[in-house]
Amino acid sequence: MKFNLGRYAMKCFICGKKPVYHYSDFSFSLCKRHFIEWFEKRVFETIRRFKLINPGELVAVAVSGGKDSLTTLYLLNRFSKELNFDVVGIAVDEGIKGYRECKLEALRKFADEINANLIIASFKEYFGATLDDMVQVLKEKNFEYKPCTICGVFRRYVINLKAREIKASKVATGHNLDDEIQVFVMNMLRAGLRNIAREGIISGLHEHPKFIPRIKPLYFCREREVLAYSILSGIETPFVECSYVVHAFRDKIRRWINKVESLNPGVKLNLLVSKELISNLLRNSKYGEGVIKTCRVCGEPSSGDLCKACFFKNYLGLGTSIVLRREM
Ligand code: SF4
Ligand code: ZN
């Protein structure tokens, strides 16, 4: 695979060898060895500088089987000895035919290869139905909600429950710089100021006794950098896409930002800087005061009286009927 070096510098900035990756916004290129070293060092330093993990912690890595989460599991597993923490991967089987089985199989193989512990939880086990079943209900209801919205809510819910069950003190996700700015733009478009205040490289510390704080070790890595690193390091994942991705608003934002970045290199970094500045300002305003409540039905952390998972369970007819006030 080539990473579009095109008209750019044809030498590694450090050793002068053939480059494999070009940083267009900084105008330098790196050869395979120096790119891998540089990438790993940045992730390692991100963990240390931002104190994402403390010695003795058990970190649950939320693994979807995509390149980002596999890279996160791979690197945390490698750094765990030096930084003295334990790692376990948690995967969620949503029940998406033609997609999830294939990803899970590759994930099991990968975890075996790198000698990492892996736990698999499923929507069926927690909610009594697969995502495919839920999409049928959504179709009947004319897609008032998108599959990804429901999938995301239920997946976060299951991961928090599982992580707590195994006594993990942090949940690491594979969110990269591109993910962060896509979510930021989406929050801006939806005026989701509380979400902007809350999201960051580490979130949920001391928010609720049942909420396991989230960390994002790839926060400063671009999507294509993670892709390059995963390929160059032999981290393999099958190229299958979830069939519901076409419904995702996020996908449109992603394509739009990528287009703007290709015309104006540096736009992504500027967006990240804007995100950091704005979220810092918001954290010190009334939007940062969000008190996490407890869901009156399931007792899990929630932004309202009823958590989103219980709302959707009720909406989809998956649990006991709840008297709903419109809270979504
Ligand atoms: Fe879930 Fe949407 Fe991702 Fe498919 S694309 S796995 S439905 S979040
Ligand atoms: Zn609930």
Side-chain angles (χ1 to χ4, degrees):
M1 174 143 186
K2 292 216 172 96
F3 295 103
N4 192 22
L5 291 169
R7 59 197 153 83
Y8 301 116
M10 294 314 290
K11 281 182 182 172
C12 169
F13 173 67
I14 298 171
C15 69
K17 285 196 181 145
K18 195 173 156 223
V20 294
Y21 194 90
H22 181 74
Y23 286 87
S24 48
D25 34 6
F26 295 119
S27 295
F28 73 90
S29 302
L30 292 171
C31 68
K32 179 178 174 182
R33 180 183 144 212
H34 287 117
F35 170 72
I36 287 178
E37 278 180 17
W38 162 246
F39 185 91
E40 290 177 353
K41 195 167 174 3
R42 274 171 51 224
V43 178
F44 188 85
E45 284 307 320
T46 299
I47 295 170
R48 276 197 353 165
R49 263 194 80 181
F50 291 87
K51 299 188 172 52
L52 298 188
I53 303 170
N54 301 310
E57 285 197 288
L58 170 61
V59 181
V61 181
V63 271
S64 65
K67 62 185 184 335
D68 304 305
S69 59
L70 290 186
T71 298
T72 307
L73 181 63
Y74 173 76
L75 286 178
L76 291 197
N77 202 43
R78 275 190 48 185
F79 299 155
S80 61
K81 271 211 180 83
E82 192 171 343
L83 295 176
N84 185 25
F85 62 89
D86 291 311
V87 183
V88 61
I90 300 182
V92 179
D93 179 359
E94 307 91 345
I96 305 170
K97 238 185 168 18
Y99 168 71
R100 184 45 74 201
E101 317 89 294
C102 160
K103 285 281 188 191
L104 279 180
E105 198 186 314
L107 182 52
R108 281 193 198 95
K109 194 168 154 254
F110 178 74
D112 255 17
E113 275 166 21
I114 64 166
N115 208 13
N117 293 319
L118 179 68
I119 295 172
I120 300 176
S122 72
F123 279 9
K124 188 97 188 161
E125 161 195 351
Y126 281 89
F127 310 114
T130 64
L131 188 69
D132 287 341
D133 299 333
M134 298 175 198
V135 172
Q136 283 308 315
V137 181
L138 289 178
K139 274 186 191 159
E140 284 156 25
K141 297 196 173 211
N142 237 350
F143 281 111
E144 192 185 343
Y145 296 100
K146 302 270 176 17
C148 295
T149 309
I150 290 175
C151 182
V153 165
F154 282 166
R155 205 169 40 200
R156 283 192 293 276
Y157 188 82
V158 169
I159 284 177
N160 196 58
L161 285 175
K162 253 304 169 224
R164 214 170 62 226
E165 200 181 301
I166 61 167
K167 298 196 175 9
S169 45
K170 298 269 170 60
V171 169
T173 63
H175 291 99
N176 58 45
L177 185 152
D178 289 60
D179 295 320
E180 289 307 304
I181 58 175
Q182 286 156 19
V183 171
F184 171 63
V185 170
M186 281 165 64
N187 279 328
M188 291 291 272
L189 295 175
R190 292 166 170 162
L193 299 182
R194 284 194 195 282
N195 288 341
I196 295 174
R198 190 168 180 262
E199 293 293 331
I201 190 164
I202 182 159
S203 59
L205 277 177
H206 319 299
E207 257 186 359
H208 188 285
K210 286 187 169 178
F211 186 79
I212 311 297
R214 306 285 152 110
I215 55 168
K216 299 169 183 170
L218 305 184
Y219 196 80
F220 298 108
C221 305
R222 295 159 184 78
E223 184 180 83
R224 63 188 285 273
E225 248 182 299
V226 182
L227 175 65
Y229 176 80
S230 61
I231 292 171
L232 294 168
S233 306
I235 299 171
E236 286 176 15
T237 176
F239 281 102
V240 278
E241 248 191 357
C242 169
S243 50
Y244 302 128
V245 76
V246 289
H247 296 281
F249 178 42
R250 166 97 169 258
D251 199 46
K252 295 178 184 71
I253 300 289
R254 175 174 173 260
R255 285 168 202 272
W256 175 71
I257 296 176
N258 281 345
K259 195 170 166 195
V260 179
E261 171 77 17
S262 70
L263 299 170
N264 308 276
V267 158
K268 286 186 180 179
L269 272 186
N270 288 341
L271 266 173
L272 187 72
V273 171
S274 304
K275 173 190 183 289
E276 290 306 307
L277 292 172
I278 293 172
S279 48
N280 273 337
L281 287 173
L282 288 172
R283 259 174 229 137
N284 297 317
S285 75
K286 65 173 184 170
Y287 296 102
E289 291 166 6
V291 179
I292 298 292
K293 300 180 181 169
T294 299
C295 173
R296 66 184 154 91
V297 175
C298 67
E300 290 298 307
S302 169
S303 51
D305 287 344
L306 183 70
C307 77
K308 290 179 181 174
C310 284
F311 174 87
F312 281 127
K313 274 194 267 179
N314 190 71
Y315 178 82
L316 296 164
L318 299 174
T320 46
S321 183
I322 301 160
V323 182
L324 283 180
R325 276 181 279 129
R326 189 86 180 170
E327 301 193 30
M328 303 305 292

